[in-house]
Amino acid sequence: MANFEAYQEYQRIEDFEEDSPPGEEDLLVHVPEGLKDSWHHIKNLDNFFTRIIYHFHQKNGFACMMLTEFFELVQFLFVVTFTTFLFNCVEYDVLFANKAVNHTTHNLGPLDRSKVTLPDAILPSQQCTKRIQENGWIIFLLIMAAIFWIYRLIKVFCNLLSYWEIRQFYIKALKITMDELCNYSWQEVQDRLISLQREQQMCIHKKELTELDIYHRILRFKNYMVAMVNKSLLPVNLHVPLLGDVVFLTQGLKYNFELIFFWGPGSLFQNKWNLHPKYKRAGNRLELAQQLSHIILLTGLANLLLCPFILVWQVLYAFFSYTEIIKREPGSLGARRWSLYGRLYLRHFNELDHELHSRLGRGYKPVSKYMNSFTSPLLAVIAKNVAFFSGSVLAVLITLTVYDEDVLTVQHILTAITILGVVITISRSFIPDEHMVWCPEQLLQYVLAHIHYMPDHWKGNANKSETRDEMAQLFQYKAVFILEELLSPIITPFILIFFLRRKSLEIIDFFRNFTVEVVGVGDICSFAQMDIRKHGNPQWLSEGQTEASVYQQAENGKTELSLMHFTIKNPHWQPPQESSFFISHLKEKVQQDAAGAPPAQHILSDTPLCTSLLSNESGTAPENLLASVLAHPVLTASGLPGRDRRFVPPSTTASAAASVLASLCTSHLPSRTRSHTLLPSTYPESPMYRSERTIIDESMSASDSRIRSANHSALQSEFASAEMSLHAIYMHEVHQQSSQPQRISGLWQAPVPMRDLSNMPGSQTQYSQPGSLSGRSPVRLGEWTEEEEEEINHEAPPQHDTEIRS
């Protein structure tokens, strides 16, 4: 990356929380005398918020975490022991009946004497032990495995003590019992942490703890990775003959990136929260690039040395994990999952794992439907014939086995039946659904509503194979994922040695230019500040708000979309002044576009019809809200009237989204709590649609109140996600219009100019009241505050995430 004057030196932000005084880096949590207990010596705040608070909540508490670690130990021990047994203690010539067995038992019948049993193929323990002792490689591998297992065992014992302290902290400080933990969303836990800081002053140098402070500590390194992917610094693109450009990023390669940059020996960070001082100065950047190149080389050579051992483990683990699934469900290899690169590319700055998991989970079915809409007529013809011939042979074999089960004793009959079943399943995956409707642009728009990011050149090219291939990099086949992980130990060393080393200087410049010190938090990626002035893009509604050069701008509207996502997910957060200006700017733009758009009631009245255009299944209120916005321009363009049979003026997706967004009412209380969102009038009011205050005020038992509140929180989360989806659609549409005016409904529609709001008083600009929008009076939803959900399974998520726990 180019070097530039504005970012020559490392930056420091003074207007945030506490700093760690020199010599007191380990004294980051203070516990008053009245609260001292078994958890009083928790010191590192990054570890405190990430591992102690967040992971403990997401992994469902003490019992689940310890049981998981215990079974990881047992699983490793089983794989090593069972593999050693299979290689040294089984006589396969006897098992495959290639060698006669001498039966010495006298009470066996004539027929029984010819049968081979499992004990016949297992060697005696003395002979098995002798084989192992005579094989030096086996002994060496067993010693290495034993050392690693003992290390893991010691770590589990240390974690046991740590997890117990976390348990005590939740019970005594946060007042959350382990039985109730799964009923609390992360937002509720976070609110209790912030309240506890006000009362007990856990953090020494700060009275107030904000949501952004907590996110910075949990996502410090992940925000750097997201920014490096956004600026195309990572991952390394490979040009493979016959395959073209390939984006290769696996768990092993990502682990090496983090080892080199963040926490390994010789990494750029001197501890978990501070970049090494020498990387903050521009004077010795060439020397530092040489040092980083040397570290990458050593890491690559270490990977090359360990390649055989890692490869053997990867093959064994994949064999034990996926063989049964492939036997039972051969089509599972044809299922898709979000790639590791896709998760980093689509991730917002300051987006927690469960939030990303939930968002991508909602987008799973739309993306699957979009990818499955691409079919090859040639492959379809071949697949139909292959399925016919394979099915014919399989039908005969099944008929014979039904007629006489002795057919199963014929050599390789079971193997043939299994292989034919797999071939038929794979062939049918290439045969398109005869009822499928070809509408790639609408499907891609629906995908955008959930994933929030889409390259500009995808617009209008949804039916192109190039767009599908680029989407496949984000949403890959499970078979491709397994193959990449198996090849990772071989490919990773060469990527580090021959490709990543070339980018050493760019990496050094990136960490110096895009690292800021937030007082009390430490060094973070400057993009994680979501500062529109420093990293905004003028083409993404930031014109007049940003001073960023092309080098400083985040790509694809990442800064703007991340700011909106964080604001919606954390409604109590008070953004900095520049961010408040942008939010007010966006609201002003929404209000202008909504003035000439159809009323929200007209859009929402078509909900059932709109939903049917995008899905064969009925959806929840938030899903139907999105379907209405996305399909309404299609209905009006085709001349279809609304459900109330009144004329509906033509509209674009942007205007439809603006109309619904403008109908959302924002309440600016002294604490800046934002609530009250639109509830489609087609859905009757129910207890879960009312405000949380109303529910709690009702006369009910404590348990009923807790359940009602949890259900209400889940619905709030659904509508928060729908609101963010509407913002993503709207911002992309306006971005496209500002980049290139589009001809809509016979008229050239230029983008509506946005007023310079630099002199506006913070974030107090509101959406226009319902009465000012052409006399319409939308129905309001009661007060709501938050949202919902890594490991993430993205392969088969439910269509609508209605889990109580975020």
Side-chain angles (χ1 to χ4, degrees), residues 747-767:
L747 298 174
W748 283 99
Q749 178 172 315
V752 178
M754 294 191 296
R755 187 161 55 89
D756 184 4
L757 303 179
S758 58
N759 297 322
M760 294 188 66
S763 61
Q764 299 302 315
T765 300
Q766 303 180 9
Y767 285 122

Side-chain angles (χ1 to χ4, degrees), residues 147-282:
I147 294 174
F148 179 77
W149 190 84
I150 293 173
Y151 163 76
R152 288 287 301 162
L153 181 63
I154 296 173
K155 193 172 181 180
V156 167
F157 277 116
C158 295
N159 289 340
L160 174 64
L161 301 176
S162 176
Y163 295 157
W164 183 260
E165 293 172 350
I166 303 169
R167 179 181 180 275
Q168 296 300 100
F169 178 81
Y170 265 87
I171 294 174
K172 297 184 178 181
L174 299 182
K175 308 300 181 185
I176 300 176
T177 65
M178 294 300 99
D179 294 337
E180 296 179 351
L181 180 61
C182 60
N183 296 326
Y184 283 84
S185 67
W186 167 250
Q187 181 69 28
E188 293 172 304
V189 174
Q190 183 174 261
D191 290 343
R192 295 200 177 200
L193 273 174
I194 294 174
S195 299
L196 184 65
Q197 167 66 16
R198 296 193 189 105
E199 298 172 0
Q200 307 296 341
Q201 289 294 291
M202 294 185 300
C203 302
I204 299 176
H205 306 284
K206 180 178 189 331
K207 293 182 178 180
E208 294 291 332
L209 188 67
T210 68
E211 292 86 351
L212 191 59
D213 301 339
I214 297 175
Y215 276 67
H216 278 334
R217 293 189 180 277
I218 296 176
L219 300 171
R220 188 189 304 274
F221 296 152
K222 289 184 179 179
N223 280 328
Y224 274 106
M225 293 295 293
V226 172
M228 294 174 84
V229 170
N230 180 256
K231 298 300 290 184
S232 301
L233 189 57
L234 294 179
V236 177
N237 293 333
L238 305 177
H239 184 78
V240 181
L242 303 179
L243 296 179
D245 292 331
V246 175
V247 177
F248 186 84
L249 183 62
T250 61
Q251 292 289 351
L253 185 56
K254 178 174 174 286
Y255 177 86
N256 278 276
F257 288 158
E258 294 173 348
L259 186 72
I260 294 170
F261 300 146
F262 304 124
W263 52 267
S267 66
L268 279 64
F269 274 70
Q270 64 178 358
N271 50 45
K272 291 185 177 181
W273 57 88
N274 283 119
L275 189 70
H276 198 283
K278 64 183 179 181
Y279 295 103
K280 302 176 182 179
R281 297 183 292 271

Side-chain angles (χ1 to χ4, degrees), residues 304-325:
L304 193 62
L305 182 64
L306 296 174
C307 174
F309 309 107
I310 301 175
L311 181 62
V312 169
W313 172 257
Q314 292 278 64
V315 171
L316 290 175
Y317 189 82
F319 176 78
F320 290 133
S321 299
Y322 298 113
T323 302
E324 187 274 334
I325 297 177

Side-chain angles (χ1 to χ4, degrees), residues 390-411:
S390 301
S392 301
V393 177
L394 182 60
V396 172
L397 294 179
I398 292 176
T399 303
L400 291 176
T401 57
V402 171
Y403 178 77
D404 189 348
E405 63 182 10
D406 289 337
V407 175
L408 293 174
T409 62
V410 177
Q411 192 175 24

Side-chain angles (χ1 to χ4, degrees), residues 313-343:
W313 172 257
Q314 292 278 64
V315 171
L316 290 175
Y317 189 82
F319 176 78
F320 290 133
S321 299
Y322 298 113
T323 302
E324 187 274 334
I325 297 177
I326 295 173
K327 169 65 174 63
R328 177 168 43 86
E329 298 179 13
S332 62
L333 291 178
R336 290 183 178 270
R337 68 188 304 276
W338 294 103
S339 66
L340 185 59
Y341 166 68
R343 296 176 190 180

Side-chain angles (χ1 to χ4, degrees), residues 63-78:
C64 291
M65 295 183 74
M66 288 309 306
L67 200 60
T68 299
E69 297 213 4
F70 170 77
F71 278 114
E72 285 178 356
L73 284 176
V74 174
Q75 191 178 84
F76 181 83
L77 192 62
F78 170 80

